[in-house]
Amino acid sequence: MDMNISTQQVNPSEIPVQPQPIQSHVNNQKRFFPIVLGVIILLLVVGGGAYYLGTQQNKPMSQITQQPTPIVTTPTTEISQPSQTEASVANPVANLTWKTQKISIEEETAIRGKQTINMELKLPSDWTFQTTPVASNPDNMIKNCSTYTIVSKDQAIRLTLQPICQGWAGKSSSWPTDAVIAFQRSCAGNDGAHTCYRVRYSTTSNNYNYVDAMTEPNRPLDKSKDQVQDTMIIGYTPPNDSKDDFFFIPGHLTTTYSGTANQKDNYLSVADQIAASVTLL
């Protein structure tokens, strides 16, 4: 059988154009790639940041750099007690040791005849005690009349004790306004109980006298009324103060200070103790 195949001339412009799927797919891939790449980069950035924060949180505290915290120190005021050496420099007559000095008085009177009277006083162990005989006088009741001198180790203060060797008639005067009491104690009298005092007062700058006083019986001290003697009345201490019918020896005790002004009170305090210790035995 014959088959007639007719050949038709086809105009290319009349041939419908078919879409090109491959070409379109390639173009879509080109547009999609930048988007995907951007997302990937964003994920890497976010992921890397999260990883960094995670690792920082998981690090030990010793690996994390921190700013040093300033340390504020408050100055402490330290109160120190002076050493023994410093205390001695501050008060050169602190921590003294004492010794007893005995004095023998040879007295002769028309009534009592010859007798030996013992006197004593106390002074610091390193202070000097010197006896200087006084020229003899037929009228003296004390036959070995002497002056007794006490001087501190550094020569800052001097005390001079001079018993009255001849007769004595006591005098009284008003209570000194600057009087310092070296001691006070009960003492007996012919008219009853009294209070006896030994006081220090100044005569001139850095010069002082020690004298005794006695209140009227059975009443306290009244400085506006009570008076002081012009000497010390060196007698026996209680309970022997009435021994030998209230026997006593009058005497002058003076003090001269030549040290520094800031140490005067310390030295005078020691002098007061010496003055208070002068007594008959």
Side-chain angles (χ1 to χ4, degrees):
M1 180 176 64
D2 295 331
M3 298 181 62
N4 294 323
I5 301 173
S6 55
T7 304
Q8 187 176 1
Q9 187 72 26
V10 180
N11 188 354
S13 60
E14 296 177 356
I15 299 173
V17 178
Q18 297 295 326
Q20 301 294 326
I22 298 175
Q23 182 68 31
S24 174
H25 177 69
V26 172
N27 290 336
N28 289 338
Q29 286 182 339
K30 289 181 178 180
R31 288 193 299 270
F32 178 72
F33 180 76
I35 296 173
V36 173
L37 181 60
V39 171
I40 292 173
I41 293 173
L42 179 60
L43 292 174
L44 289 175
V45 171
V46 174
Y51 174 78
Y52 175 78
L53 292 176
T55 56
Q56 288 297 101
Q57 292 176 353
N58 294 331
K59 280 186 177 182
M61 291 301 295
S62 60
Q63 297 180 5
I64 300 175
T65 303
Q66 296 181 347
Q67 293 297 326
T69 302
I71 300 174
V72 180
T73 58
T74 303
T76 302
T77 302
E78 184 175 335
I79 302 175
S80 59
Q81 297 294 330
S83 65
Q84 190 68 27
T85 302
E86 292 171 342
S88 299
V89 172
N91 181 2
V93 290
N95 304 317
L96 293 173
T97 57
W98 293 74
K99 64 182 178 181
T100 299
Q101 178 66 49
K102 297 186 180 299
I103 301 171
S104 180
I105 303 293
E106 300 295 334
E107 186 180 72
E108 183 177 358
T109 64
I111 298 175
R112 295 178 178 271
K114 294 182 179 180
Q115 62 180 340
T116 299
I117 303 165
N118 294 314
M119 183 187 301
E120 76 169 21
L121 57 85
K122 292 178 173 56
L123 69 154
S125 299
D126 57 356
W127 291 24
T128 60
F129 180 86
Q130 183 177 358
T131 301
T132 304
V134 175
S136 178
N137 187 318
D139 295 331
N140 285 351
M141 290 184 294
I142 298 178
K143 299 306 179 180
N144 61 339
C145 190
S146 300
T147 299
Y148 307 100
T149 306
I150 302 167
V151 182
S152 64
K153 182 179 180 180
D154 57 1
Q155 312 290 313
I157 194 167
R158 174 186 296 266
L159 291 84
T160 302
L161 174 62
Q162 176 63 69
I164 295 177
C165 299
Q166 298 180 6
W168 168 78
K171 297 179 181 180
S172 299
S173 59
S174 299
W175 192 277
T177 56
D178 65 342
V180 175
I181 297 175
F183 79 67
Q184 71 178 66
R185 65 184 178 214
S186 298
C187 54
N190 291 326
D191 53 356
H194 297 257
T195 301
C196 290
Y197 297 87
R198 183 158 293 165
V199 301
R200 162 175 52 88
Y201 68 93
S202 61
T203 53
T204 59
S205 179
N206 294 325
N207 291 277
Y208 305 87
N209 277 350
Y210 286 93
V211 295
D212 281 8
M214 178 187 291
T215 63
E216 293 180 1
N218 304 311
R219 73 163 175 79
L221 173 67
D222 185 346
K223 294 180 181 179
S224 65
K225 296 179 179 179
D226 289 317
Q227 296 184 321
V228 297
Q229 297 290 331
D230 60 342
T231 65
M232 291 197 320
I233 309 300
I234 307 170
Y236 297 99
T237 58
N240 299 320
D241 48 342
S242 60
K243 181 180 179 181
D244 293 334
D245 194 21
F246 304 102
F247 179 82
F248 64 89
I249 294 177
H252 296 291
L253 177 62
T254 59
T255 299
T256 301
Y257 180 71
S258 59
T260 58
N262 63 328
Q263 297 294 344
K264 180 191 289 188
D265 289 343
N266 292 327
Y267 279 94
L268 290 178
S269 176
V270 177
D272 290 348
Q273 295 177 66
I274 297 173
S277 71
V278 181
T279 185
L280 299 183
L281 296 177

